[in-house]
């Protein structure tokens, strides 16, 4: 999965603008790499709700490039995101996680669950009801 994000970063790295003053936070190179990784990971795990991955990634990273490189950045992002989308469609990710809940229509929820309980953010209320123990009334 990270082959796509690292390939995007390697191709775009020479054009990334350097920061004027070093700061305590992450560098521009780190920010671009993290954005690429997050976008490809979301494409792999939450593809159903990720309608425009190219636009999302380009909007996240374009501020780190000069105006003269914007077209090249967009074309590079578009090319690799198309490759990734086609790859994930043909080879579903084995660790693709889905929420444990079902929708109102009775179909499984396809959103990515949180790690602590297996439910997506919309279905957290179901996790709270699982933790409550039901006590039977004592027989007299």
């Amino acid at each position: 999965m990270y082959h796509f994000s690292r390939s995007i970063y390697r191709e775009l790295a020479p054009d990334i603008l350097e920061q004027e003053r070093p700061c305590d936070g992450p560098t521009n190179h780190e920010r671009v790499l993290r954005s690429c990784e997050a976008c490809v990971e979301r494409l792999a795990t939450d593809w159903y709700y990720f309608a425009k991955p190219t636009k999302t990634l380009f909007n996240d990273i374009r501020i780190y490039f000069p105006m003269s490189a914007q077209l090249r950045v967009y074309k590079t992002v578009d090319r690799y995101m198309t490759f990734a989308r086609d790859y994930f469609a043909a080879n579903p990710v084995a660790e693709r996680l889905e929420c444990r809940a079902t929708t109102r229509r009775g179909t499984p929820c396809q959103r990515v669950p949180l790690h602590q309980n297996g439910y997506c953010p919309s279905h957290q209320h179901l996790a709270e009801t699982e933790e409550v123990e039901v006590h039977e009334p004592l027989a007299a």
Side-chain angles (χ1 to χ4, degrees), residues 39-59:
C39 194
V40 171
E41 183 175 352
R42 181 176 173 202
L43 182 63
T45 58
D46 196 19
W47 58 272
Y48 188 76
Y49 292 101
F50 200 14
K52 299 179 181 178
T54 299
K55 181 179 177 182
T56 300
L57 180 56
F58 178 69
N59 285 336

Side-chain angles (χ1 to χ4, degrees), residues 20-123:
E20 292 178 13
R21 294 178 295 174
C23 60
D24 294 336
T27 65
N28 288 348
H29 285 269
E30 290 175 77
R31 290 180 179 132
V32 169
L33 178 60
R34 299 296 169 245
S35 293
C36 292
E37 288 176 346
C39 194
V40 171
E41 183 175 352
R42 181 176 173 202
L43 182 63
T45 58
D46 196 19
W47 58 272
Y48 188 76
Y49 292 101
F50 200 14
K52 299 179 181 178
T54 299
K55 181 179 177 182
T56 300
L57 180 56
F58 178 69
N59 285 336
D60 288 348
I61 66 173
R62 71 184 199 171
I63 60 172
Y64 303 113
F65 297 92
M67 286 300 294
S68 60
Q70 296 286 316
L71 181 60
R72 190 174 97 66
V73 170
Y74 181 82
K75 287 181 179 183
T76 301
V77 167
D78 185 45
R79 184 174 69 244
Y80 280 104
M81 294 308 281
T82 301
F83 290 155
R85 185 177 55 241
D86 294 344
Y87 176 79
F88 294 135
N91 305 308
V93 178
E95 64 266 4
R96 179 173 289 172
L97 301 174
E98 291 182 352
C99 179
R100 295 172 37 199
T102 56
T103 64
R104 292 179 184 172
R105 293 182 179 164
T107 59
C109 177
Q110 296 180 352
R111 294 187 64 199
V112 177
L114 300 176
H115 297 288
Q116 64 261 23
N117 56 25
Y119 288 103
C120 68
S122 298
H123 292 113

